[in-house]
């Protein structure tokens, strides 16, 4: 079993579609083994996305991620990291595959509905960033 960190982003919480996103996650065979709704501070968003700090879109990314609540989750399945990336779809929803979360719900490359860890190392860092061990019930 593998774990990955998911974030349901502000464009989804503001449109009241977190349940619809969760249905797609569960239908794909991923189990939501931890979940909480939080409002990120600018410092938290900057730290979480530190790898992008030199990118042109960094400020708008931080502004967007702090603009409304997010739902952070730990998902578990065999090969959870790759499975979740597959059902999320590509970063830019315009070219995402039919049936993916981003193709179905995302509004643009920045308002793209979900985040998912991209490697085992990021998954560990990102899960530890938001959750303590006692908050995760597998
Ligand atoms: P992801 O792993 O598919 O989420 O993509 P990345 O890790 O490359 O980027 C992190 C997030 O930054 C993306 O989900 C987008 O919200 C945002 N982002 C990435 N590339 C761009 C871009 O070219 N323009 C803008 N505005 N946002 C971007």
């Amino acid at each position: 079993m593998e774990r990955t960190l998911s974030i349901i982003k502000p464009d989804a919480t503001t449109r009241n579609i977190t349940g619809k996103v969760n249905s797609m996650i569960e239908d794909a065979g991923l189990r939501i083994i931890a979940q909480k709704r939080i409002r990120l501070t600018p410092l938290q968003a900057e730290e979480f996305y530190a790898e992008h700090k030199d990118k042109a879109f960094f400020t708008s990314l931080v502004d967007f991620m702090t603009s409304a609540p997010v739902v952070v989750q730990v998902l578990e399945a065999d090969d959870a990291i790759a499975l979740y990336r597959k059902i999320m779809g590509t970063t830019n929803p315009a070219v995402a595959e039919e049936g993916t979360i981003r193709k179905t719900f995302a509004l643009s490359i920045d308002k793209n509905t979900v985040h998912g860890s991209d490697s085992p190392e990021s998954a560990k860092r990102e899960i530890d960033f938001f959750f303590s061990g006692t908050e995760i019930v597998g």
Side-chain angles (χ1 to χ4, degrees):
M1 279 291 174
E2 186 175 66
R3 292 175 177 182
T4 191
L5 189 279
S6 163
I7 305 178
I8 302 181
K9 295 187 179 185
D11 66 280
T13 60
T14 53
R15 284 181 289 157
N16 206 25
I17 58 170
T18 61
K20 288 181 176 155
V21 173
N22 277 350
S23 286
M24 291 179 77
I25 288 170
E26 293 183 337
D27 287 349
L30 289 148
R31 301 182 68 83
I32 302 165
I33 60 169
Q35 175 169 258
K36 58 190 172 189
R37 179 177 164 103
I38 58 172
R39 181 76 180 254
L40 286 176
T41 65
L43 272 179
Q44 284 175 316
E46 283 166 15
E47 190 183 342
F48 184 80
Y49 281 115
E51 68 175 293
H52 294 304
K53 68 176 185 312
D54 298 326
K55 308 262 175 64
F57 60 81
F58 183 68
T59 305
S60 63
L61 175 60
V62 170
D63 286 350
F64 169 61
M65 291 300 290
T66 57
S67 66
V70 297
V71 175
V72 292
Q73 312 172 302
V74 181
L75 309 181
E76 186 176 75
D78 286 333
D79 219 8
I81 296 168
L83 174 58
Y84 192 43
R85 298 285 300 184
K86 180 163 179 273
I87 69 155
M88 283 165 55
T90 51
T91 310
N92 182 354
V95 295
E97 261 183 66
E98 288 297 331
T100 60
I101 295 171
R102 283 169 166 167
K103 181 69 178 183
T104 306
F105 297 119
L107 302 172
S108 61
I109 193 165
D110 45 339
K111 296 183 174 70
N112 63 4
T113 311
V114 281
H115 165 88
S117 310
D118 63 5
S119 68
E121 296 71 33
S122 329
K124 182 177 180 353
R125 180 185 79 82
E126 294 176 0
I127 290 169
D128 291 347
F129 188 89
F130 288 114
F131 293 96
S132 65
T134 52
E135 292 178 305
I136 303 170
V137 184

